[in-house]
């Protein structure tokens, strides 16, 4: 597969700064001198492509950690990953994990790495959209395609803001900084409707497929996918709150007219129908886009460390440009000589980087969400004497073994059997046992998106912004909420379960199906950037993330003069999730400008901050 076009442009955009997208003191203002530079940039296709590449760089983010110092997995703010606190809180400093998990997030230190960066991306998209008509050697078909990409990018960054803050300022033109403009927050309804409208417009302008040299560029299906995701979120309890759930979130609301920036005024079941139709639109158009579920009938990874041994689920995130991927972030595909960062370095993990890696520990609370292979639930034994034998004997969902590494597991030919155990019975500690915080023996670590096969090759990874399985689950969730559990909802749930090698489920009743579909999303989309959004939109974060997290620690034990890994359950951290966390606070430097609210009695800040 050639990976030339978008990668090359991204490299150019990252190496050279483009004046029209440079940072200014006030993010809602256009930089001075922008008009002159705009005329230059949008003179030829070749020049315009630099601006387009920068638009991608700013707007199509992956959820892998970026190349800033102090980054780790973004799942550290969920129940999927625990990094040792406080010793390793620096490892996710850009999303303030340490303060977030202890209930101390502040308006000056939130989980949004950069509020202003969203609007820099939006401004870049608006500049591209507005000025592409000036390109002298671009035909109309090319210009229409670029406009579609720009509309999608504008929508994407408004979506990113929406999922954190609720209603935000809607910006659909490049703002003129000379007027010192300030735009107040819009309602949730207005933000959602704007995103959906832009997605519809983009879908009408974009092609269904791209040649391999354009892999990573936005397509019509990507626009439909973003529309589906936004409408699913908008129909969910956080925004479309049923009467019996209003009490849960009332402490995170104003409970007056200002709540329009946090939710819809009243619950409307039809929002679920709208979400169902949008998800079905993705499924209907997938074939024309050459997109289908990756399903060769091989649910199990059968050992070894090459592609032929991978089960289908593990293949989805290892096989580059496979047919299930709708849109990916290809930033990490750029050659190192162009200044790109190494995937393995920033997907920091002990099992990948050994001595100086940050261990991405998996809480037992999350592990126990996986079912056994027969579909039943399990509870991890509090102690035992041979961890790898015990873990295999559980016969769990195959996706567990294709996602989570554990002490004694064979990883690959270079790493061999993973050694997380502490010293004991005359055995020295395993190579992965300790950290700067001291020996811990924490024995489970996520390895999804961590190189394992093909001699630790990272080049096959590209971050999935959208993949088709999400929309099977979107559709099943939405039609259940709209019309109750039925055969069609079961069908799409079970298409995902079947691919994974799990038995079918046929939950009776809407509540039972809701529980089943939420669990399926949790497992199928684990470590892909969905968990934070899902827990918040379902209004379950305050129960899932408000308790002690625990893990499994192993110690070397001599049995018949052989090394065995005995284990025990140990505490990780007491997590705290205040109700006000359901809406992230705006930075104080923006609040101080007094433009987000009404400019009189309300500064625009979210409740409780």
């Amino acid at each position: 597969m050639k990976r030339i076009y978008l990668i090359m442009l991204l490299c150019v955009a990252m190496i050279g700064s483009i004046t029209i997208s440079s940072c200014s003191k006030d993010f809602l203002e256009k930089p001075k001198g922008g008009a002159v530079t705009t005329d230059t940039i949008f003179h030829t296709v070749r020049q315009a492509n630099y601006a387009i590449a920068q638009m991608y760089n700013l707007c199509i983010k992956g959820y892998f950690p970026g190349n800033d110092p102090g980054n780790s997995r973004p799942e550290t703010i969920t129940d999927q990953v625990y990094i040792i606190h406080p010793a390793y809180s620096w490892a996710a400093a850009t999303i303030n994990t340490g303060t977030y998990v202890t209930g101390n997030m502040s308006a000056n230190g939130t989980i949004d790495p950069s509020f202003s960066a969203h609007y820099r991306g939006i401004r870049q998209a608006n500049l591209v959209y507005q000025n592409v008509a000036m390109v002298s050697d671009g035909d109309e078909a090319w210009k229409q395609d670029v406009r579609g990409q720009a509309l999608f990018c504008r929508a994407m960054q408004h979506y990113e803001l929406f999922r954190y803050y609720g209603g935000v300022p809607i910006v659909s033109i490049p703002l003129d900084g000379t007027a010192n403009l300030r735009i107040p927050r819009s309602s949730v309804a207005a933000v959602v409707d704007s995103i959906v409208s832009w997605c519809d417009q983009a879908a009408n302008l974009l092609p269904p497929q791209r040649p391999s040299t354009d892999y990573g560029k936005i397509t019509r299906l990507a626009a439909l996918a973003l529309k589906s995701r936004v409408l699913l979120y908008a129909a969910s309890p956080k925004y479309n709150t049923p009467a019996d759930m209003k009490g849960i979130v009332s402490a995170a609301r104003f409970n007056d007219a200002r709540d329009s920036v946090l939710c819809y005024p009243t619950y409307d079941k039809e929002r679920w129908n709208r979400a169902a139709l949008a998800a079905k639109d993705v499924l209907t158009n997938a074939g024309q886009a050459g997109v289908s579920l990756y399903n060769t009938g091989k649910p199990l990874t059968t050992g070894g460390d090459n592609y032929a041994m991978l089960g289908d689920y593990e293949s989805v995130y290892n096989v580059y440009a496979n047919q299930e991927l709708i849109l990916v972030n290809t930033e990490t595909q750029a050659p190192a000589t162009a200044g790109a960062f190494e995937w393995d370095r920033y997907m920091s993990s002990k099992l990948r980087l050994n001595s100086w890696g940050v261990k991405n520990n998996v809480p037992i609370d999350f592990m126990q969400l996986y079912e056994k292979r027969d579909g039943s639930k399990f509870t991890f034994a509090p102690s035992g004497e041979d961890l790898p034998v015990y873990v295999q004997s559980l016969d769990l969902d195959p996706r567990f073994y294709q996602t989570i590494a554990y002490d004694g597991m064979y990883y690959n030919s270079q790493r061999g059997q993973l050694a997380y155990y502490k010293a004991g019975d005359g055995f020295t500690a395993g190579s992965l046992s300790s950290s700067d915080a001291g020996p811990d023996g924490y024995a489970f670590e996520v390895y999804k998106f961590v190189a394992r096969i093909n001699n630790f090759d990272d080049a096959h990874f590209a971050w999935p912004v959208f993949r088709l399985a999400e929309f099977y689950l979107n559709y099943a969730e939405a039609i259940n909420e709209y019309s109750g559990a039925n055969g069609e909802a079961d069908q799409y749930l079970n298409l995902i379960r079947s691919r994974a090698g799990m038995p079918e489920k046929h939950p009776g009743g809407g509540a039972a199906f809701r529980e089943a579909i939420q669990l399926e999303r949790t497992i199928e989309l684990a470590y892909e950037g969905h968990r934070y959004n899902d827990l918040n939109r379902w209004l379950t974060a305050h129960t899932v993330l408000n308790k002690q997290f625990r893990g499994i620690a192993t110690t070397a034990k001599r049995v018949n003069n052989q090394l065995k890994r005995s284990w025990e359950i140990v505490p990780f951290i007491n997590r705290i999730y205040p109700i006000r966390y359901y809406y992230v606070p705006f930075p104080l430097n923006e609040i101080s400008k007094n433009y987000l609210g009404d400019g009189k009695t309300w500064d625009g800040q979210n409740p409780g901050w």
Side-chain angles (χ1 to χ4, degrees):
M1 172 68 71
K2 293 183 179 179
R3 313 172 187 173
I4 299 173
Y5 184 83
L6 183 58
I7 297 165
M8 177 191 72
L9 292 177
L10 283 173
C11 293
V12 173
M14 287 187 286
I15 293 170
S17 62
I18 298 175
T19 305
I20 60 173
S21 62
S22 62
C23 181
S24 64
K25 183 177 179 181
D26 294 320
F27 72 86
L28 286 177
E29 297 177 6
K30 185 178 73 174
K32 293 180 180 179
V36 174
T37 309
T38 298
D39 292 339
T40 304
I41 288 293
F42 291 99
H43 180 62
T44 66
V45 169
R46 182 176 180 179
Q47 287 295 106
N49 277 334
Y50 297 153
I52 296 165
Q54 181 70 336
M55 176 179 73
Y56 272 79
N57 188 41
L58 291 170
C59 294
I60 312 300
K61 299 292 185 180
Y63 284 95
F64 55 80
N67 58 344
D68 298 318
N71 270 3
S72 188
R73 280 187 175 270
E75 294 91 355
T76 56
I77 62 172
T78 74
D79 56 341
Q80 297 174 104
V81 171
Y82 167 68
I83 57 171
I84 300 172
H85 173 78
Y88 280 95
S89 292
W90 61 266
T94 54
I95 55 173
N96 295 291
T97 291
T99 54
Y100 185 80
V101 300
T102 55
N104 295 306
M105 179 171 65
S106 69
N108 282 333
T110 76
I111 55 173
D112 182 3
S114 176
F115 177 72
S116 61
H118 299 294
Y119 283 99
R120 289 198 295 273
I122 290 167
R123 182 175 57 210
Q124 184 74 6
N126 288 335
L127 285 165
V128 169
Y129 182 84
Q130 177 173 286
N131 294 296
V132 68
M134 296 192 301
V135 178
S136 59
D137 58 345
D139 61 26
E140 189 57 30
W142 178 83
K143 292 176 181 177
Q144 291 289 74
D145 187 354
V146 172
R147 290 188 184 101
Q149 295 171 61
L151 283 165
F152 176 93
C153 287
R154 178 203 294 169
M156 190 71 182
Q157 280 307 303
H158 278 84
Y159 150 75
E160 290 285 354
L161 286 158
F162 162 71
R163 74 185 184 91
Y164 284 129
Y165 303 98
V168 292
I170 298 173
V171 181
S172 57
I173 58 172
L175 297 179
D176 184 354
T178 60
N180 198 30
L181 295 176
R182 293 291 184 266
I183 300 176
R185 298 177 67 179
S186 290
S187 67
V188 161
V191 172
V192 170
D193 288 348
S194 295
I195 294 171
V196 168
S197 175
W198 298 329
C199 287
D200 285 339
Q201 294 174 58
N204 288 330
L205 297 171
L206 292 164
Q209 293 189 28
R210 301 280 188 185
S212 61
T213 50
D214 283 357
Y215 187 63
K217 290 182 72 173
I218 301 154
T219 63
R220 178 180 303 151
L221 195 63
L224 297 177
L226 178 56
K227 175 182 175 180
S228 169
R229 186 184 290 179
V230 169
L231 286 175
L232 183 80
Y233 288 13
S236 299
K238 178 178 174 180
Y239 308 104
N240 186 35
T241 315
D244 62 351
M245 298 186 75
K246 287 185 176 180
I248 294 174
V249 73
S250 62
R253 300 266 174 84
F254 296 108
N255 299 301
D256 58 32
R258 292 173 294 175
D259 280 349
S260 66
V261 300
L262 303 173
C263 61
Y264 291 98
T266 58
Y267 173 80
D268 186 350
K269 191 176 181 180
E270 281 299 316
R271 293 190 182 100
W272 285 111
N273 187 38
R274 197 178 178 200
L277 293 172
K280 191 61 178 288
D281 209 14
V282 175
L283 303 180
T284 301
N285 283 274
Q288 184 186 20
V291 173
S292 61
L293 204 66
Y294 193 108
N295 190 358
T296 69
K298 188 174 185 291
L300 303 180
T301 289
T302 53
D305 49 8
N306 57 65
Y307 287 101
M309 299 293 190
L310 297 182
D312 288 342
Y313 180 73
E314 193 169 357
S315 292
V316 169
Y317 65 89
N318 275 283
V319 176
Y320 186 83
N322 69 78
Q323 71 265 25
E324 188 166 325
L325 303 177
I326 296 172
L327 180 66
V328 299
N329 182 307
T330 59
E331 183 178 357
T332 55
Q333 299 299 312
T337 54
F341 64 88
E342 300 173 25
W343 180 288
D344 62 289
R345 181 180 175 191
Y346 292 100
M347 267 303 195
S348 179
S349 63
K350 201 74 171 178
L351 64 89
R352 178 66 173 89
L353 301 178
N354 223 342
S355 59
W356 64 273
V358 175
K359 199 183 296 185
N360 287 256
N361 304 294
V362 183
I364 189 174
D365 313 77
F366 187 76
M367 289 191 287
Q368 289 178 157
L369 295 176
Y370 285 84
E371 297 171 331
K372 299 186 75 170
R373 185 79 182 275
D374 63 7
S376 63
K377 297 182 181 298
F378 83 101
T379 300
F380 216 98
S383 62
E385 297 198 349
D386 195 340
L387 181 74
V389 170
Y390 174 71
V391 172
Q392 286 296 324
S393 73
L394 289 170
D395 194 20
L396 300 175
D397 184 326
R399 291 172 291 191
F400 178 95
Y401 301 108
Q402 296 172 52
T403 301
I404 296 172
Y406 54 91
D407 195 8
M409 166 186 168
Y410 176 84
Y411 195 65
N412 61 17
S413 58
Q414 294 188 45
R415 189 70 78 228
Q417 281 188 300
L418 299 177
Y420 289 101
Y421 54 83
K422 292 184 291 186
D425 281 357
F427 293 102
T428 57
S431 61
L432 306 177
S433 173
S434 299
S435 64
D436 292 348
D440 54 63
Y442 296 161
F444 286 83
E445 189 173 11
V446 58
Y447 79 90
K448 191 172 182 179
F449 297 114
V450 177
R452 183 178 73 82
I453 62 170
N454 200 24
N455 296 317
F456 281 131
D457 179 22
D458 300 294
H460 53 95
F461 286 132
W463 190 266
V465 180
F466 302 115
R467 65 178 176 94
L468 189 60
E470 174 188 346
F471 303 95
Y472 280 54
L473 299 174
N474 285 8
Y475 185 57
E477 179 179 354
I479 59 175
N480 175 65
E481 296 296 341
Y482 182 64
S483 56
N486 56 44
E488 193 174 19
D490 283 4
Q491 174 191 354
Y492 283 94
L493 167 67
N494 289 321
L495 283 168
I496 298 301
R497 289 180 64 81
S498 176
R499 188 264 294 275
M502 291 296 288
E504 290 190 354
K505 280 185 177 179
H506 299 281
F513 191 92
R514 181 183 304 125
E515 181 181 348
I517 197 68
Q518 290 184 1
L519 177 61
E520 200 64 28
R521 284 184 69 92
T522 299
I523 301 306
E524 174 67 23
L525 303 177
Y527 304 102
E528 294 185 34
H530 293 270
R531 184 66 168 162
Y532 169 83
N533 302 329
D534 282 347
L535 290 176
N536 277 268
R537 70 182 179 88
W538 293 330
L539 295 182
T540 57
H542 67 288
T543 56
V544 174
L545 303 178
N546 213 22
K547 59 186 176 184
Q548 185 183 74
F549 279 21
R550 304 165 300 150
I552 300 292
T554 50
T555 303
K557 186 176 181 65
R558 192 177 297 274
V559 177
N560 296 326
N561 210 33
Q562 291 185 322
L563 170 67
K564 300 293 182 183
R565 294 153 163 89
S566 65
W567 80 86
E568 62 178 341
I569 295 177
V570 295
F572 277 165
I573 189 174
N574 291 320
R575 286 285 304 263
I576 300 173
Y577 186 97
I579 292 295
R580 64 179 182 167
Y581 269 23
Y582 276 113
Y583 298 95
V584 171
F586 289 85
L588 291 182
N589 66 319
E590 297 302 330
I591 291 297
S592 67
K593 298 170 188 175
N594 201 27
Y595 67 89
L596 290 168
D598 60 14
K600 299 175 182 178
T601 60
W602 175 45
D603 59 14
Q605 184 60 284
N606 278 328
W609 301 101

